[in-house]
Amino acid sequence: MKDKINLLLTISYCGSNYSGWQVQPNKKTIEGELEGVLSKLFNERIIIVGSGRTDAGVHALNAKANVILPKEFTLKNFYDEKDKFKKLITILNNFLPDDIKIKKIKKVSLLFNARKCAKRKTYVYKVKLFEKSPFEANRFYFLNKNLNVSHMQTCANILLGEHDFSSFCASKTSVTSFIRTIYSIKIKKTKNIVSFEICGNGFLYNMVRIIVGTLIECSLKNLNENEMKKILIGKNRNLAGKTAPACGLYLKNVVY
Amino acid sequence: MKDKINLLLTISYCGSNYSGWQVQPNKKTIEGELEGVLSKLFNERIIIVGSGRTDAGVHALNAKANVILPKEFTLKNFYDEKDKFKKLITILNNFLPDDIKIKKIKKVSLLFNARKCAKRKTYVYKVKLFEKSPFEANRFYFLNKNLNVSHMQTCANILLGEHDFSSFCASKTSVTSFIRTIYSIKIKKTKNIVSFEICGNGFLYNMVRIIVGTLIECSLKNLNENEMKKILIGKNRNLAGKTAPACGLYLKNVVY
């Protein structure tokens, strides 16, 4: 490993035209596009390790991934003292499709793993009320009803802290523990956009989308915080609301 | 025709996921989506007449189309004195995909034809310089070079008025006259976005995209207005620049 260098990438992508992050045969994926460009540039099979897998149609503002590259070749061709890895960023972005962009690259320890070392993740879910906008299709969940932000915030606060989130996990999952910690849920409304920002130490399959779907139902069906409590302690997916559509979800940040 | 009503629709759409305006077998098109929803709602085969055909990937801010509908059924179910056709707009938008939106509907004479009656059309072409933005992929032409707006404006002015635009027409066309009138070309730069707004009495196949591609070359290769004059009077497609990509083009308005 002495001849290797480990780089941490910060990546933004619009997931609308992809079958999610993870490589799948005969499907266009974010990981597949990134590995394809890196493998051609370095003329060898390059594997990247993402901070997590996003589903089909889910976006990222600052996804993280690490990649182990040949040290000498990388530093000689794509690094200089002044601009650091700017040259590598420019070349990768030139080859990547317009809906995937490398924002930052920095050197990390060879022991760093973008998935295993993640301490907390923040997701944002965006709902646009009443007005559908053709050029923002698949960037928002369009809803033709109003939402009561303060009521949803009260219900959301029930979920803060460490809990068993079985009620908020899609049934097809292979995890052994459903215990997760949510550090914060901030719901705000700016003009006709309602955003849900959720930060936690990790998330179960579809957890953010089920939480948002349930909070929307709290507003539309006027369910109160006691009913939210019952959903949480019931540990049963059928108690919670619908899974909100993928197109409104953005991975905002990953902290190490 | 006495039992019919003719409606003029104003439509906005993001063309990224469509094979253009015109219906084609086994392809997703704007016209196809609109006719599909109208035909289901009126329970009969409905034909719409667009102001013109946009190519695959081209967008519209205010495209126009007219549609002849059964008068009694339409007025009884989808019209009221106060809100006019608002109910029809809402229902159509609920059924249409998120990237197609009906903005306005108004009653016109039964003799009105959205294609034949068009007096002038305005297109906007949008170029984003230096910064690619994943969520705006296919909404701009991304260019990693700077453009000289005042130089391009000087060259563009050569094209104003009535001319034979053979040099700015894609070779595969079936028109008999290449004479068109351009009323205005306005080029402006706001932050890192350069927009070309072109208004004329009609446009040949790919004409706006070839004009923009040629103006971009005027800036990048420092061609002057005399060279633009030679391209125009040469009446030869090979003299002009490349066709700019479809993703930057928006049909902005059609005047009757």
Side-chain angles (χ1 to χ4, degrees), chain B residues 91-153:
Chain B
I91 292 170
L92 290 174
N93 282 332
N94 287 346
F95 282 110
L96 283 167
D98 283 347
D99 46 12
I100 303 177
K101 181 184 178 178
I102 310 281
K103 294 172 78 174
K104 283 182 218 162
I105 295 183
K106 73 168 191 176
K107 186 173 170 287
V108 286
S109 146
L110 280 168
L111 299 172
F112 179 88
N113 177 298
R115 184 170 60 80
K116 292 180 188 162
C117 301
K119 290 270 182 295
R120 51 176 75 193
K121 289 184 186 174
T122 304
Y123 282 91
V124 178
Y125 195 96
K126 297 185 190 178
V127 181
K128 192 155 186 177
L129 307 178
F130 297 113
E131 198 201 341
K132 103 176 178 182
S133 151
F135 299 98
E136 292 171 339
N138 301 317
R139 272 90 166 139
F140 288 94
Y141 170 33
F142 294 126
L143 191 68
N144 258 332
K145 290 162 186 160
N146 210 350
L147 291 176
N148 183 335
V149 169
S150 66
H151 178 70
M152 290 193 294
Q153 184 67 61

Side-chain angles (χ1 to χ4, degrees), chain A:
Chain A
M1 289 290 276
K2 220 180 136 195
D3 57 338
K4 299 289 182 186
I5 186 172
N6 193 6
L7 300 183
L8 172 63
L9 318 182
T10 302
I11 308 150
S12 174
Y13 54 83
C14 177
S16 306
N17 296 321
Y18 296 91
S19 302
W21 170 271
Q22 195 183 17
V23 168
Q24 295 172 63
N26 304 318
K27 298 232 171 142
K28 225 170 66 159
T29 66
I30 311 291
E31 188 184 35
E33 296 291 326
L34 289 163
E35 288 185 351
V37 170
L38 283 161
S39 298
K40 281 179 192 165
L41 190 60
F42 287 89
N43 199 28
E44 62 177 80
R45 176 93 178 85
I46 302 287
I47 304 283
I48 69 167
V49 178
S51 54
R53 304 164 187 171
T54 51
D55 276 341
V58 173
H59 318 292
L61 303 172
N62 297 287
K64 305 279 183 175
N66 74 294
V67 58
I68 290 174
L69 296 173
K71 187 170 181 174
E72 213 184 296
F73 183 81
T74 307
L75 293 180
K76 193 177 155 209
N77 295 285
F78 306 114
Y79 179 84
D80 68 73
E81 274 303 325
K82 188 174 152 276
D83 288 329
K84 311 291 179 191
F85 288 104
K86 196 177 164 189
K87 194 171 171 183
L88 181 56
I89 293 176
T90 302
I91 291 170
L92 290 174
N93 282 332
N94 286 346
F95 282 110
L96 283 167
D98 282 348
D99 47 12
I100 304 177
K101 181 184 178 178
I102 309 281
K103 294 172 77 173
K104 282 182 219 163
I105 295 182
K106 74 168 192 175
K107 188 175 169 288
V108 287
S109 145
L110 280 169
L111 299 171
F112 178 88
N113 177 299
R115 185 169 61 80
K116 293 181 186 161
C117 301
K119 289 270 182 295
R120 53 175 73 194
K121 288 182 188 175
T122 304
Y123 282 91
V124 178
Y125 194 94
K126 297 187 192 179
V127 180
K128 192 155 186 178
L129 306 178
F130 297 111
E131 199 201 340
K132 104 175 179 182
S133 150
F135 299 99
E136 292 171 339
N138 301 316
R139 273 86 165 140
F140 287 95
Y141 170 33
F142 293 127
L143 191 68
N144 258 333
K145 292 162 185 159
N146 210 350
L147 292 176
N148 182 334
V149 169
S150 66
H151 178 71
M152 291 194 294
Q153 185 67 61
T154 306
C155 295
N157 292 343
I158 299 295
L159 305 177
L160 299 179
E162 189 182 82
H163 300 285
D164 180 316
F165 283 99
S166 300
S167 294
F168 300 92
C169 178
S171 46
K172 51 163 185 170
T173 181
S174 57
V175 295
T176 48
S177 166
F178 294 89
I179 309 277
R180 295 291 183 278
T181 301
I182 294 185
Y183 301 115
S184 65
I185 304 181
K186 294 174 199 159
I187 310 173
K188 63 178 182 191
K189 189 174 176 180
T190 311
K191 287 182 184 169
N192 62 336
I193 294 170
V194 176
S195 66
F196 303 74
E197 189 174 305
I198 306 187
C199 175
N201 66 348
F203 292 92
L204 299 163
Y205 189 46
N206 280 354
M207 180 166 154
V208 178
R209 289 165 57 191
I210 298 170
I211 288 176
V212 171
T214 306
L215 290 171
I216 289 174
E217 289 188 20
C218 286
S219 177
L220 299 181
K221 299 178 180 173
N222 208 24
L223 308 179
N224 64 24
E225 52 190 307
N226 288 324
E227 281 149 309
M228 192 57 143
K229 234 175 243 171
K230 280 184 202 158
I231 294 170
L232 179 64
I233 62 177
K235 297 179 196 169
N236 178 349
R237 171 66 188 93
N238 296 326
L239 298 173
K242 282 185 196 153
T243 306
C247 61
L249 187 61
Y250 295 72
L251 173 57
K252 190 183 176 187
N253 207 5
V254 184
V255 174
Y256 293 99

